[in-house]
Amino acid sequence: MAAGVDEAATAPRTDTGVIVLGSARTAPERELLADWAARNHPGAPVCLDEPALDRALLDADPTTTVVPVRVTWLPPTRAAEWADGTGVQPDRPKPADLLALLGHRRPPGFWQRRLARNAPDRVRLVEGEPATVSDLRRRHDDEAREDSQAAYVLRAGVLACERAERALIGDHYTVPRMVVEQIVASTRFRERLRGLTGETGRGFEELLADARARLGELATVQSPVAIDAFRTALAPMHASAWDVEVDTETVEPLHELSRTAPLVFLPTHRSYADPLVLAEVLRAHDLPRNTMLGGNNMAFWPIGPLGKRAGVVFIRRTSGDDPVYRLALREYIAHLVSKRFNLEWYVEGGRSRTGKLRRPRMGLLSYLTGALDDGRAPDVTLVPTSLVYDRMYEVDAMAAEQGGAEKSAEGLGWLARYVRGQVRNSGTARVRFGEPFSLKAALAEAGEGKARLEKVAFSICDGINRATPATPTALVTFALLGAGGRALTLDQIRVTTEPLLDHLDRLGRPGPHGDLTGDGIERTLERLVTGEVVERYSGGAETVWSIRDGRHRVAAFYRNGAIHHFVDRAIVELALLAASRAPAGRDPVDVAEEDALALRDLLKFEFFFPPKRRFSDGIAAETALVDPDWRERVQDPGGAAALLERSGFLAAPRTLRSFVDAQWVVATKLAELDPGADVDPKVFGRECLGLGRQMLRQGRVVRPDSVSTELYASALDLADNRGLLRSGTDMDTDLAAARQAFRDEIAEVRERLIELSRIEDRLTEELLA
């Protein structure tokens, strides 16, 4: 049941064999429906409730057509604009609009008769797509045979009218109504719920009541008045903070794709304001509002009550001990995609504390995949989405969390502080959509096996990274953080950033365009000075800039937004240095290729890498950018080292040093532990934080941003992946040796990064000479 027609476009009919399925809440609406039915389907029964529909269906011939119809009321100040059928609603609702939209777009009953008489252009009789009784009976038997046929047809009629109404009011509002009723009545859902009786030891009726409550907790609607109130109430969280820049070329394909399959937007998560910024972008480009799944930590007043009526699904952070909740969430997602509602969630599971993509959470993606595997939808289109900001108010708090501070709980007081912090303009928010791709095709390419979802998740994250532009803030902080604590002149910053811009162009990656030409670097530095990230000193012969004391993690957050563009280049530089030290009798090319794969394994919990063969091909292509004839040149004694000296710029020290230093702290601490002792990740993380602070004071690690709970956690995941956290075995000696080997491996990479830093300093001096 899809788009229908309104009263003005409906010619009177005299056909028989029709049941009019009306939706009316007031006497004036019932009168309007009766008049419409008398003119368009004379003699046809008009059913306004389930008992009347049940009687009509019992007497109906299988070829009888059920025609759903409802009254739609348009706001007085917008009726003329919507009467032309464009369905385009202006951005800013007026108070009269909001008043008229009260009660799910229905004015109070005592106004309706007068409105219909005095403002007939405000009233539309909207007809949903009809269906025959035989078709509805078949669908009932397939989908909800345990529910009454009349209840099923009644729900189908409501949904048909909702879809028809969207053709009139526009796609800004997508309204998933009667969700709980549809899912609970589903035969498939009830069968799965019965499967939980043995696991939980609870009866079916008890589980059904529990599932109904869980679905009620999840279900959201999109009320136009609530959406406008939500936008108005939360606009202070983002409207003044950034000027939004959208790559419109990446938006255009989404209009066509949305007509063939539901879209699932998977954005980066850097700010609390991400969903608000993205929603405004979609609205401005006339795309339907997404149903957004987010954490229930944000469900406090007023965000929770308004959000639940504005298309926000607040989900639990964990649900491991509640199989009914997991089933309800899985079925809810499947239901939404089966009804072709666009979805949105943040695949990282939380805001990035480092500025780069976190490892993806697989739960919601597995439920989405299950919907396709179950045949609930033929396909969905995944849309990797990048949101990146010049500066962010909340980075300070996230940087403090990396240093061991507790995260502040969200609530009304937190919201007031956040809004105050967002009053000042912080530059530009950049929104780009990566290349959309079919989930069905991605699953087919991934094949079966345990790594199936991980391969799809890699494609999502790779798409996000490729779409994410290197901002001016990212490149300037990239230059300053790599200075080893020294202040840099404007020329020194320029000679560091220009090769980065050239490299982005050669890779075809999005960069800051003209934002770093002319006085662009100075403007970027001024923003960073205003944000108290960078310190400017003008008391000498030449102005210099440096990262302010205690602000290195904040600066690293901005740098890391673009760091993925330079990881392959950094690996190439390390591999070439390894090739320059190839033992006698070893082919330097083989040494470089093996080292690149070893580095891939060492960094796999920090960055996203393709499968090994594709990775090796990519590294070979990246090395060819240094010198197309590199395979021949590295055969000469000193040839690999000469390539590095002539390369023009080096990325590895500035790109990887912080991550490798964090790994070295973890490996050092791990090597000191008794192999028989258990490793508690939280306790171990705090101990690493203390050791990292000590090493920073001693100069044993040089990057303050490397002292980070987030980086230590990733390094510990790597150690666990290598089996270095097991305890209580008979192989304590082997475990101690393996931990020491892990530390030595990282120490050797650190030594090469230090050597590359020396080469980089010489290159910079030559460029400035």
Side-chain angles (χ1 to χ4, degrees):
M1 294 183 169
V5 295
D6 63 33
E7 182 183 18
T10 305
R13 295 191 297 268
T14 58
D15 52 328
T16 58
V18 169
I19 297 172
V20 175
L21 178 55
S23 176
R25 296 184 182 182
T26 65
E29 289 187 351
R30 287 191 290 272
E31 293 169 8
L32 288 166
L33 281 171
D35 179 66
W36 180 90
R39 286 184 290 106
N40 289 276
H41 300 287
V46 179
C47 303
L48 300 178
D49 55 29
E50 188 175 335
L53 180 60
D54 189 41
R55 292 191 296 271
L57 290 172
L58 284 174
D59 298 334
D61 185 87
T63 59
T64 298
T65 301
V66 178
V67 179
V69 63
R70 70 146 40 133
V71 180
T72 294
W73 302 87
L74 301 180
T77 57
R78 297 297 182 260
E81 296 167 27
W82 281 349
D84 64 2
T86 62
V88 177
Q89 182 187 9
D91 283 340
R92 294 293 178 188
K94 295 182 179 180
D97 301 345
L98 300 183
L99 187 61
L101 283 168
L102 287 172
H104 300 294
R105 298 187 297 278
R106 284 184 170 89
F110 61 85
W111 285 354
Q112 289 179 351
R113 193 172 282 108
R114 178 182 295 178
L115 289 172
R117 183 175 61 252
N118 296 337
D121 59 339
R122 290 191 53 199
V123 189
R124 292 289 184 275
L125 271 293
V126 176
E127 181 181 343
E129 183 181 0
T132 64
V133 168
S134 63
D135 182 50
L136 288 166
R137 285 172 178 165
R138 177 187 57 76
R139 286 158 53 187
H140 166 259
D141 291 344
D142 289 344
E143 298 172 14
R145 58 177 174 268
E146 295 185 37
D147 202 11
S148 75
Q149 187 178 106
Y152 174 83
V153 174
L154 194 65
R155 288 196 302 273
V158 169
L159 294 171
C161 288
E162 292 286 356
R163 288 194 291 271
E165 195 173 59
R166 283 171 59 188
L168 182 64
I169 68 172
D171 273 343
H172 287 311
Y173 306 115
T174 57
V175 190
R177 296 203 186 282
M178 304 188 73
V179 171
V180 175
E181 294 85 349
Q182 291 179 80
I183 295 176
V184 168
S186 161
T187 302
R188 177 189 286 105
F189 180 71
R190 291 181 174 233
E191 288 174 351
R192 286 179 170 165
L193 201 59
R194 286 190 177 93
L196 294 179
T197 56
E199 177 185 340
T200 62
R202 300 164 66 190
F204 173 73
E205 292 301 327
E206 182 184 356
L207 289 174
L208 186 62
D210 195 9
R212 190 185 297 274
R214 299 288 182 266
L215 287 165
E217 179 184 334
L218 292 167
T220 183
V221 296
Q222 290 192 13
S223 159
V225 67
I227 289 172
D228 290 330
F230 187 76
R231 293 174 61 222
T232 301
L234 299 188
M237 291 183 67
H238 68 95
S240 300
W242 302 287
D243 303 314
V244 180
E245 178 184 291
V246 182
D247 187 332
T248 54
E249 288 186 4
T250 66
V251 177
E252 290 308 314
L254 301 180
H255 289 94
E256 185 63 33
L257 289 169
S258 67
R259 297 187 181 98
T260 60
L263 305 181
V264 178
F265 291 82
L266 299 163
T268 52
H269 200 9
R270 290 185 168 88
S271 170
Y272 284 109
D274 289 338
L276 307 176
V277 172
L278 180 57
E280 293 303 311
V281 167
L282 296 178
R283 182 184 182 87
H285 290 84
D286 203 29
L287 284 162
R289 187 176 181 87
N290 295 334
T291 297
M292 198 279 285
L293 292 93
N296 62 359
N297 58 309
M298 296 297 292
F300 59 88
W301 187 91
I303 294 177
L306 282 175
K308 195 169 173 63
R309 293 163 179 79
V312 181
V313 182
F314 294 103
I315 62 175
R316 299 178 185 177
R317 308 294 283 185
T318 58
S319 58
D321 59 348
D322 191 340
V324 177
Y325 182 85
R326 293 199 304 273
L327 176 60
L329 180 56
R330 173 179 175 171
E331 288 296 315
Y332 185 51
I333 290 173
H335 175 85
L336 290 174
V337 298
S338 72
K339 302 302 180 185
R340 293 192 56 181
F341 290 105
N342 291 351
L343 303 183
E344 170 191 336
W345 74 77
Y346 293 78
V347 72
E348 299 163 271
R351 291 170 303 142
S352 170
R353 267 47 174 190
T354 63
K356 66 181 182 62
L357 272 180
R358 298 172 113 180
R359 297 192 68 78
R361 298 289 187 90
M362 300 296 183
L364 295 179
L365 184 60
S366 71
Y367 294 157
L368 185 65
T369 299
L372 264 63
D373 290 342
D374 290 345
R376 304 291 292 278
D379 199 3
V380 301
T381 300
L382 304 183
V383 186
T385 304
S386 166
L387 294 97
V388 64
Y389 306 86
D390 279 345
R391 283 198 302 111
M392 289 167 43
Y393 158 74
E394 62 211 83
V395 172
D396 288 5
M398 293 191 289
E401 290 169 29
Q402 286 192 73
E406 291 294 322
K407 178 179 179 287
S408 297
E410 294 85 355
L412 195 56
W414 166 88
L415 180 60
R417 291 190 299 274
Y418 189 89
V419 167
R420 285 197 299 269
Q422 293 286 78
V423 171
R424 180 185 298 174
N425 185 276
S426 296
T428 302
R430 294 171 173 83
V431 182
R432 296 184 88 249
F433 299 100
E435 185 172 349
F437 63 93
S438 156
L439 176 57
K440 181 178 179 180
L443 290 169
E445 183 180 352
E448 298 299 327
K450 294 188 344 185
R452 183 186 187 213
L453 273 186
E454 290 182 4
K455 292 177 181 177
V456 175
F458 165 78
S459 296
I460 294 166
C461 294
D462 184 57
I464 292 172
N465 275 340
R466 288 179 180 277
T468 300
T471 65
T473 306
L475 297 183
V476 169
T477 51
F478 190 95
L480 292 173
L481 283 166
R486 303 188 309 274
L488 299 182
T489 66
L490 187 62
D491 282 343
Q492 287 172 322
I493 296 171
R494 182 171 288 114
V495 299
T496 303
T497 57
E498 284 178 350
L500 301 177
L501 292 169
D502 291 341
H503 191 66
L504 289 169
D505 286 342
R506 295 175 77 184
L507 293 174
R509 301 289 176 84
H513 307 294
D515 291 340
L516 286 182
T517 59
D519 62 351
I521 292 178
E522 292 173 274
R523 291 197 307 271
T524 301
L525 286 166
E526 187 58 36
R527 281 198 298 267
L528 291 167
V529 170
T530 301
E532 299 183 346
V533 180
V534 167
E535 183 177 61
R536 177 181 55 232
Y537 179 75
S538 304
E542 198 169 4
T543 301
V544 293
W545 288 265
S546 61
I547 304 298
R548 289 176 67 99
D549 287 343
R551 306 290 283 170
H552 290 77
R553 292 192 196 98
V554 174
F557 182 96
Y558 297 125
R559 175 202 64 194
N560 290 346
I563 204 168
H564 55 278
H565 293 303
F566 305 105
V567 171
D568 281 1
R569 169 68 186 225
I571 289 174
V572 164
E573 293 165 8
L574 284 166
L576 286 174
L577 192 55
S580 73
R581 302 173 178 181
R586 290 293 314 276
D587 186 337
V589 172
D590 292 341
V591 170
E593 292 175 345
E594 290 170 10
D595 187 69
L597 287 170
L599 290 166
R600 174 187 181 276
D601 186 71
L602 189 69
L603 298 168
K604 65 185 179 184
F605 283 89
E606 292 293 354
F607 304 104
F608 296 96
F609 296 111
K612 290 182 178 179
R613 179 170 295 179
R614 281 176 54 199
F615 169 78
S616 295
D617 291 343
I619 291 297
E622 186 85 36
T623 314
L625 294 178
V626 177
D627 191 319
D629 300 320
W630 71 273
R631 294 176 184 274
E632 291 75 29
R633 298 193 190 283
V634 298
Q635 303 297 333
D636 299 331
L643 283 178
L644 292 170
E645 296 279 0
R646 297 196 306 267
S647 64
F649 85 104
L650 294 178
R654 298 171 190 265
T655 302
L656 300 180
R657 182 66 187 272
S658 298
F659 302 97
V660 175
D661 273 356
Q663 290 180 334
W664 189 56
V665 169
V666 169
T668 299
K669 189 67 184 176
L670 199 57
E672 295 172 354
L673 288 183
D674 178 356
D678 291 330
V679 178
D680 183 314
K682 289 187 177 179
V683 173
F684 186 83
R686 288 195 296 269
E687 292 173 347
C688 287
L689 202 58
L691 180 60
R693 288 168 177 161
Q694 171 198 319
M695 288 183 167
L696 183 64
R697 285 167 170 79
Q698 293 174 313
R700 296 167 65 190
V701 297
V702 297
R703 301 289 176 83
D705 58 289
S706 72
V707 184
S708 160
T709 55
E710 190 103 348
L711 299 190
Y712 294 150
S714 295
L716 194 62
D717 287 340
L718 173 64
D720 189 27
N721 179 257
R722 294 194 177 190
L724 300 179
L725 303 189
R726 69 185 190 276
S727 61
T729 71
D730 297 328
M731 303 175 64
D732 288 351
T733 302
D734 291 344
L735 181 58
R739 288 176 174 177
Q740 185 60 49
F742 181 54
R743 182 183 183 280
D744 292 344
E745 176 188 355
I746 295 168
E748 191 276 330
V749 174
R750 285 184 77 245
E751 188 277 324
R752 274 190 276 159
L753 286 171
I754 292 168
E755 175 60 27
L756 287 170
S757 293
R758 297 190 190 103
I759 299 173
E760 183 184 30
D761 288 343
R762 293 198 295 271
L763 290 173
T764 302
E765 290 173 5
E766 291 172 6
L767 288 169
L768 287 168

